Short mmCIF file of all heavy atoms in Angstrom, two decimals:
data_model
loop_
_atom_site.label_atom_id
_atom_site.label_comp_id
_atom_site.label_asym_id
_atom_site.label_seq_id
_atom_site.Cartn_x
_atom_site.Cartn_y
_atom_site.Cartn_z
N THR A 1 -140.45 61.11 -79.89
CA THR A 1 -140.26 62.54 -80.08
C THR A 1 -139.63 62.88 -81.43
O THR A 1 -139.92 63.93 -82.01
CB THR A 1 -139.36 63.13 -78.98
OG1 THR A 1 -138.05 62.55 -79.08
CG2 THR A 1 -139.94 62.87 -77.61
N GLY A 2 -138.72 62.05 -81.92
CA GLY A 2 -138.03 62.36 -83.17
C GLY A 2 -137.07 63.53 -83.04
O GLY A 2 -136.76 64.20 -84.04
N GLN A 3 -136.56 63.79 -81.84
CA GLN A 3 -135.73 64.98 -81.61
C GLN A 3 -134.24 64.69 -81.57
O GLN A 3 -133.43 65.59 -81.82
CB GLN A 3 -136.14 65.63 -80.28
CG GLN A 3 -137.56 66.17 -80.29
CD GLN A 3 -138.00 66.65 -78.91
OE1 GLN A 3 -137.34 66.39 -77.91
NE2 GLN A 3 -139.12 67.34 -78.87
N VAL A 4 -133.85 63.46 -81.24
CA VAL A 4 -132.42 63.18 -81.04
C VAL A 4 -131.63 63.32 -82.34
O VAL A 4 -130.56 63.95 -82.36
CB VAL A 4 -132.23 61.77 -80.44
CG1 VAL A 4 -130.74 61.40 -80.42
CG2 VAL A 4 -132.78 61.73 -79.02
N GLY A 5 -132.12 62.77 -83.44
CA GLY A 5 -131.41 62.88 -84.71
C GLY A 5 -131.14 64.32 -85.12
O GLY A 5 -129.97 64.71 -85.31
N PRO A 6 -132.19 65.15 -85.26
CA PRO A 6 -131.96 66.56 -85.58
C PRO A 6 -131.09 67.28 -84.55
O PRO A 6 -130.32 68.17 -84.90
CB PRO A 6 -133.38 67.14 -85.62
CG PRO A 6 -134.24 65.99 -86.00
CD PRO A 6 -133.62 64.80 -85.31
N GLY A 7 -131.20 66.87 -83.27
CA GLY A 7 -130.37 67.48 -82.24
C GLY A 7 -128.90 67.20 -82.46
O GLY A 7 -128.04 68.08 -82.27
N ILE A 8 -128.58 65.98 -82.86
CA ILE A 8 -127.19 65.63 -83.18
C ILE A 8 -126.69 66.45 -84.37
O ILE A 8 -125.58 67.00 -84.35
CB ILE A 8 -127.08 64.12 -83.48
CG1 ILE A 8 -127.37 63.29 -82.24
CG2 ILE A 8 -125.69 63.79 -84.04
CD1 ILE A 8 -127.48 61.80 -82.51
N ALA A 9 -127.52 66.53 -85.41
CA ALA A 9 -127.13 67.28 -86.62
C ALA A 9 -126.86 68.73 -86.30
O ALA A 9 -125.90 69.34 -86.81
CB ALA A 9 -128.22 67.15 -87.67
N ARG A 10 -127.70 69.32 -85.44
CA ARG A 10 -127.52 70.73 -85.07
C ARG A 10 -126.18 70.93 -84.34
O ARG A 10 -125.47 71.90 -84.59
CB ARG A 10 -128.68 71.18 -84.19
CG ARG A 10 -128.55 72.62 -83.69
CD ARG A 10 -128.65 73.60 -84.85
NE ARG A 10 -128.50 74.97 -84.40
CZ ARG A 10 -127.33 75.60 -84.23
NH1 ARG A 10 -126.20 74.94 -84.47
NH2 ARG A 10 -127.29 76.84 -83.84
N ARG A 11 -125.85 70.01 -83.46
CA ARG A 11 -124.60 70.14 -82.71
C ARG A 11 -123.39 69.94 -83.61
O ARG A 11 -122.34 70.57 -83.43
CB ARG A 11 -124.58 69.15 -81.55
CG ARG A 11 -125.63 69.42 -80.48
CD ARG A 11 -125.57 68.39 -79.38
NE ARG A 11 -126.65 68.49 -78.41
CZ ARG A 11 -126.68 69.34 -77.39
NH1 ARG A 11 -125.67 70.18 -77.23
NH2 ARG A 11 -127.69 69.36 -76.55
N LEU A 12 -123.51 69.04 -84.61
CA LEU A 12 -122.40 68.79 -85.54
C LEU A 12 -122.36 69.80 -86.67
O LEU A 12 -121.41 69.81 -87.47
CB LEU A 12 -122.53 67.38 -86.13
CG LEU A 12 -122.26 66.21 -85.18
CD1 LEU A 12 -122.64 64.89 -85.84
CD2 LEU A 12 -120.80 66.19 -84.75
N ASP A 13 -123.42 70.62 -86.79
CA ASP A 13 -123.54 71.62 -87.85
C ASP A 13 -123.51 70.96 -89.23
O ASP A 13 -122.78 71.38 -90.14
CB ASP A 13 -122.43 72.67 -87.74
CG ASP A 13 -122.72 73.91 -88.60
OD1 ASP A 13 -123.91 74.17 -88.89
OD2 ASP A 13 -121.76 74.60 -88.98
N ILE A 14 -124.31 69.89 -89.37
CA ILE A 14 -124.47 69.23 -90.67
C ILE A 14 -125.95 69.20 -91.02
O ILE A 14 -126.81 69.31 -90.13
CB ILE A 14 -123.90 67.79 -90.64
CG1 ILE A 14 -124.63 66.92 -89.60
CG2 ILE A 14 -122.40 67.81 -90.37
CD1 ILE A 14 -124.20 65.46 -89.61
N PRO A 15 -126.30 69.08 -92.31
CA PRO A 15 -127.71 69.10 -92.69
C PRO A 15 -128.47 67.87 -92.22
O PRO A 15 -128.00 66.74 -92.43
CB PRO A 15 -127.67 69.18 -94.22
CG PRO A 15 -126.33 68.68 -94.60
CD PRO A 15 -125.40 69.04 -93.48
N PRO A 16 -129.64 68.06 -91.57
CA PRO A 16 -130.50 66.92 -91.23
C PRO A 16 -131.61 66.77 -92.28
O PRO A 16 -132.17 67.77 -92.74
CB PRO A 16 -131.10 67.34 -89.89
CG PRO A 16 -131.18 68.84 -89.97
CD PRO A 16 -130.08 69.29 -90.90
N VAL A 17 -131.91 65.56 -92.66
CA VAL A 17 -133.04 65.28 -93.56
C VAL A 17 -133.91 64.25 -92.87
O VAL A 17 -133.48 63.13 -92.63
CB VAL A 17 -132.57 64.77 -94.94
CG1 VAL A 17 -133.78 64.62 -95.87
CG2 VAL A 17 -131.54 65.70 -95.55
N THR A 18 -135.14 64.62 -92.55
CA THR A 18 -136.03 63.75 -91.77
C THR A 18 -137.04 63.03 -92.66
O THR A 18 -137.24 63.39 -93.81
CB THR A 18 -136.78 64.57 -90.72
OG1 THR A 18 -137.53 65.62 -91.38
CG2 THR A 18 -135.82 65.22 -89.73
N ASN A 19 -137.67 61.99 -92.09
CA ASN A 19 -138.75 61.25 -92.75
C ASN A 19 -138.33 60.70 -94.11
O ASN A 19 -139.09 60.74 -95.08
CB ASN A 19 -139.99 62.13 -92.91
CG ASN A 19 -140.50 62.66 -91.59
OD1 ASN A 19 -140.13 63.76 -91.18
ND2 ASN A 19 -141.34 61.90 -90.91
N VAL A 20 -137.12 60.16 -94.18
CA VAL A 20 -136.59 59.65 -95.44
C VAL A 20 -137.22 58.30 -95.77
O VAL A 20 -137.30 57.41 -94.92
CB VAL A 20 -135.05 59.52 -95.37
CG1 VAL A 20 -134.50 58.87 -96.64
CG2 VAL A 20 -134.42 60.88 -95.14
N ILE A 21 -137.67 58.16 -97.01
CA ILE A 21 -138.25 56.89 -97.45
C ILE A 21 -137.45 56.25 -98.59
O ILE A 21 -137.72 55.11 -98.98
CB ILE A 21 -139.72 57.05 -97.89
CG1 ILE A 21 -139.84 58.02 -99.06
CG2 ILE A 21 -140.59 57.49 -96.72
CD1 ILE A 21 -141.22 58.04 -99.69
N GLU A 22 -136.44 56.97 -99.10
CA GLU A 22 -135.61 56.39 -100.16
C GLU A 22 -134.30 57.17 -100.27
O GLU A 22 -134.30 58.40 -100.28
CB GLU A 22 -136.34 56.43 -101.51
CG GLU A 22 -135.56 55.80 -102.65
CD GLU A 22 -136.30 55.89 -103.99
OE1 GLU A 22 -137.51 56.21 -103.98
OE2 GLU A 22 -135.66 55.65 -105.02
N VAL A 23 -133.20 56.43 -100.35
CA VAL A 23 -131.91 57.02 -100.69
C VAL A 23 -131.63 56.61 -102.12
O VAL A 23 -131.27 55.48 -102.41
CB VAL A 23 -130.79 56.53 -99.74
CG1 VAL A 23 -129.45 57.12 -100.15
CG2 VAL A 23 -131.12 56.91 -98.30
N SER A 24 -131.83 57.56 -103.05
CA SER A 24 -131.81 57.24 -104.48
C SER A 24 -130.40 57.10 -105.02
O SER A 24 -130.12 56.23 -105.86
CB SER A 24 -132.56 58.32 -105.27
OG SER A 24 -133.87 58.48 -104.79
N GLU A 25 -129.50 57.96 -104.57
CA GLU A 25 -128.16 57.98 -105.16
C GLU A 25 -127.16 58.56 -104.18
O GLU A 25 -127.45 59.55 -103.49
CB GLU A 25 -128.17 58.82 -106.44
CG GLU A 25 -126.83 58.96 -107.14
CD GLU A 25 -126.89 59.90 -108.33
OE1 GLU A 25 -127.94 59.94 -109.00
OE2 GLU A 25 -125.89 60.58 -108.59
N VAL A 26 -125.99 57.96 -104.09
CA VAL A 26 -124.89 58.49 -103.30
C VAL A 26 -123.72 58.74 -104.23
O VAL A 26 -123.21 57.81 -104.87
CB VAL A 26 -124.47 57.52 -102.17
CG1 VAL A 26 -123.27 58.08 -101.41
CG2 VAL A 26 -125.63 57.27 -101.22
N ASN A 27 -123.29 59.99 -104.36
CA ASN A 27 -122.18 60.37 -105.23
C ASN A 27 -120.96 60.66 -104.37
O ASN A 27 -120.86 61.72 -103.74
CB ASN A 27 -122.58 61.61 -106.05
CG ASN A 27 -121.58 61.90 -107.16
OD1 ASN A 27 -120.37 61.80 -106.97
ND2 ASN A 27 -122.08 62.28 -108.34
N LEU A 28 -120.03 59.71 -104.34
CA LEU A 28 -118.86 59.85 -103.48
C LEU A 28 -117.90 60.91 -104.00
O LEU A 28 -117.20 61.57 -103.21
CB LEU A 28 -118.13 58.51 -103.37
CG LEU A 28 -118.90 57.39 -102.66
CD1 LEU A 28 -118.07 56.11 -102.63
CD2 LEU A 28 -119.26 57.80 -101.24
N GLU A 29 -117.85 61.11 -105.31
CA GLU A 29 -116.94 62.11 -105.88
C GLU A 29 -117.39 63.52 -105.52
O GLU A 29 -116.59 64.37 -105.13
CB GLU A 29 -116.86 61.95 -107.40
CG GLU A 29 -116.18 60.67 -107.85
CD GLU A 29 -116.05 60.58 -109.35
OE1 GLU A 29 -116.47 61.55 -110.04
OE2 GLU A 29 -115.52 59.58 -109.84
N GLU A 30 -118.68 63.78 -105.65
CA GLU A 30 -119.20 65.12 -105.37
C GLU A 30 -119.65 65.27 -103.91
O GLU A 30 -120.06 66.35 -103.50
CB GLU A 30 -120.37 65.44 -106.31
CG GLU A 30 -119.97 65.49 -107.78
CD GLU A 30 -121.13 65.87 -108.68
OE1 GLU A 30 -122.21 66.22 -108.13
OE2 GLU A 30 -120.96 65.84 -109.91
N LYS A 31 -119.60 64.17 -103.16
CA LYS A 31 -120.01 64.17 -101.75
C LYS A 31 -121.45 64.64 -101.59
O LYS A 31 -121.75 65.50 -100.76
CB LYS A 31 -119.07 65.05 -100.92
CG LYS A 31 -117.68 64.47 -100.71
CD LYS A 31 -117.74 63.30 -99.73
CE LYS A 31 -116.36 62.75 -99.42
NZ LYS A 31 -116.40 61.65 -98.44
N THR A 32 -122.35 64.07 -102.39
CA THR A 32 -123.77 64.42 -102.30
C THR A 32 -124.61 63.16 -102.23
O THR A 32 -124.16 62.07 -102.64
CB THR A 32 -124.24 65.26 -103.51
OG1 THR A 32 -124.03 64.50 -104.72
CG2 THR A 32 -123.49 66.58 -103.59
#
């Protein structure tokens, strides 16, 4: 179904990003 992940994000009120194929950069200072 692919519903549990977005369902968790909705309950936590955080942004969900689906169908990810690459995490290019994590900026800990800017939290992005």
Side-chain angles (χ1 to χ4, degrees):
T1 64
Q3 296 173 348
V4 172
I8 293 171
R10 178 66 181 86
R11 294 179 187 279
L12 290 171
D13 194 24
I14 60 175
V17 185
T18 58
N19 302 94
V20 175
I21 60 170
E22 182 181 347
V23 178
S24 304
E25 178 185 327
V26 177
N27 191 319
L28 294 179
E29 293 183 1
E30 297 183 7
K31 288 287 184 178
T32 60

